Amino acid sequence: MKVLVAVKRVVDYNVKVRVKSDNTGVDIANVKMSMNPFDEIAIEEAVRLREKGVATEVIAVSCGVTQCTETLRTAMAIGADRAILVETAVELQPLAVAKLLKALVDKEQPGIIILGKQAIDDDCNQTGQMLAALADLPQATFASKVEAADGKLKVTREVDGGLETLLISLPAVITADLRLNEPRYVTLPNIMKAKKKQLDVFKPEDLGVDVTPRIKTLKVSEPPKRSAGIKVPDVATLVAKLKNEAKVI
C-alpha cells in the first residue's frame, strides 16, 4: 500500500517575518525556508506506518517553485521512498493544491493520504478537507494517534471536548496534529542517500489542473504595536482603572 504525503515549503518557524514596504505580502527575500512543521510530522507518521508493515511505499509531494525540491529531499532524508514536485511559479491557494493532489491520487492510487493539518504561513487548514471532498474519500482531521486495525485505520483526533476516536476505511485522508509524533533527527548519511532517490517533476497542465488564483490579497499589514503596561499601587486603583478607563467591569 502506498502512502502519499503532501509537504509545503514555508518560512522557517524560527524566523521573525516582515511585511513588505508596499503591503503586498510577506518579505521572503534571503529568508530561511524549511518544511512546514505539521508536514514533517505527517512524513514521520507515514514512515512509521511503513516500518510497521502497514505501508510499502511513502511518496512525498510538493507543489510550488523549483526550490521545493530541497523540501522534498528533506522528506526523503526522513524516510520517503520517492518524491513528486508539481512545479509552478503561480501563487497556489488551497483549492488549487487540493486539485493537484487529487490528480496525483488518481495517478498513484495510494491507500492513505497524509497532510499536515495546516501550513504555518497562511494558516488556512483547508487543503486536506478539500482533497477529501474532491476525491470522495473519508477523512480524519487533527489526528493525534493513528493505528492500523483490520484493513482500516483507527484515528484518535483532538476536539474541543477532549478526544474522539474514528474507525475509517481505506483509502482515506488524514491530517496530522502536533501531538501525533515527534519527527526523527535527520542524519547526514540519510541526507546523502536522499540525493539519489527518485524525484519526478510535473507541471499543473500535465495533470490537467487550472491553478489560477481565485482569491486576491488586497493588503498585508503588521498587527498594531502593543502599548506599555502600567503599575498600580493597590487593588482599589486597579478596579477603578478597569471600571473607568478600560470599561471592562
Side-chain angles (χ1 to χ4, degrees):
M1 179 174 67
K2 298 177 184 177
V3 180
L4 191 76
V5 185
V7 298
K8 186 177 184 181
R9 178 177 179 264
V10 299
V11 174
D12 189 87
Y13 68 92
N14 287 312
V15 173
K16 181 174 174 57
V17 295
R18 301 185 306 273
V19 175
K20 291 179 181 178
S21 57
D22 58 1
N23 294 112
T24 57
V26 173
D27 186 5
I28 59 172
N30 302 314
V31 169
K32 182 184 177 184
M33 308 291 282
S34 61
M35 186 188 301
N36 179 47
F38 291 106
D39 298 343
E40 198 172 351
I41 293 168
I43 278 283
E44 173 66 27
E45 191 63 26
V47 173
R48 291 187 185 188
L49 288 172
R50 189 194 60 208
E51 291 171 346
K52 292 174 184 175
V54 177
T56 55
E57 185 181 30
V58 177
I59 308 165
V61 178
S62 191
C63 307
V65 295
T66 308
Q67 290 87 336
C68 290
T69 54
E70 300 166 12
T71 307
L72 289 171
R73 293 293 179 196
T74 302
M76 288 189 284
I78 293 173
D81 298 291
R82 60 187 173 95
I84 299 172
L85 170 62
V86 183
E87 188 178 2
T88 176
V90 177
E91 179 196 352
L92 292 175
Q93 295 172 350
L95 180 59
V97 176
K99 288 181 177 180
L100 291 170
L101 293 176
K102 163 66 165 58
L104 291 173
V105 166
D106 292 341
K107 179 181 173 63
E108 296 287 345
Q109 294 295 308
I112 306 172
I113 305 99
I114 309 180
L115 307 87
K117 72 170 184 177
Q118 65 191 76
I120 62 172
D121 54 357
D122 56 21
D123 270 343
C124 281
N125 180 19
Q126 295 174 342
T127 307
Q129 293 89 328
M130 288 178 170
L131 172 60
L134 291 171
D136 194 23
L137 295 175
Q139 62 176 310
T141 56
F142 315 140
S144 60
K145 188 176 182 182
V146 176
E147 300 171 282
D150 300 323
K152 297 183 179 182
L153 288 181
K154 186 163 74 170
V155 180
T156 303
R157 59 188 301 267
E158 299 189 356
V159 295
D160 290 342
L163 299 176
E164 178 182 60
T165 302
L166 304 176
L167 185 66
I168 58 175
S169 57
L170 302 178
V173 176
I174 296 171
T175 66
D177 205 347
L178 191 65
R179 280 165 285 280
L180 180 57
N181 60 54
E182 185 175 339
R184 67 194 67 189
Y185 178 76
V186 180
T187 61
L188 182 58
N190 286 337
I191 293 173
M192 300 307 292
K193 288 177 186 176
K195 293 181 179 180
K196 299 179 181 179
K197 291 184 179 180
Q198 179 183 346
L199 196 159
D200 300 317
V201 181
F202 297 98
K203 300 285 186 183
E205 49 268 28
D206 297 335
L207 301 173
V209 177
D210 177 16
V211 294
T212 304
R214 286 163 168 76
I215 300 173
K216 182 180 179 181
T217 301
L218 300 178
K219 184 180 179 182
V220 176
S221 58
E222 293 186 6
K225 294 281 191 297
R226 292 183 62 180
S227 57
I230 59 171
K231 291 183 178 181
V232 293
D234 50 44
V235 175
T237 308
L238 172 62
V239 172
K241 284 184 175 293
L242 290 174
K243 185 175 182 180
N244 302 321
E245 295 180 19
K247 298 188 185 301
V248 293
I249 58 173

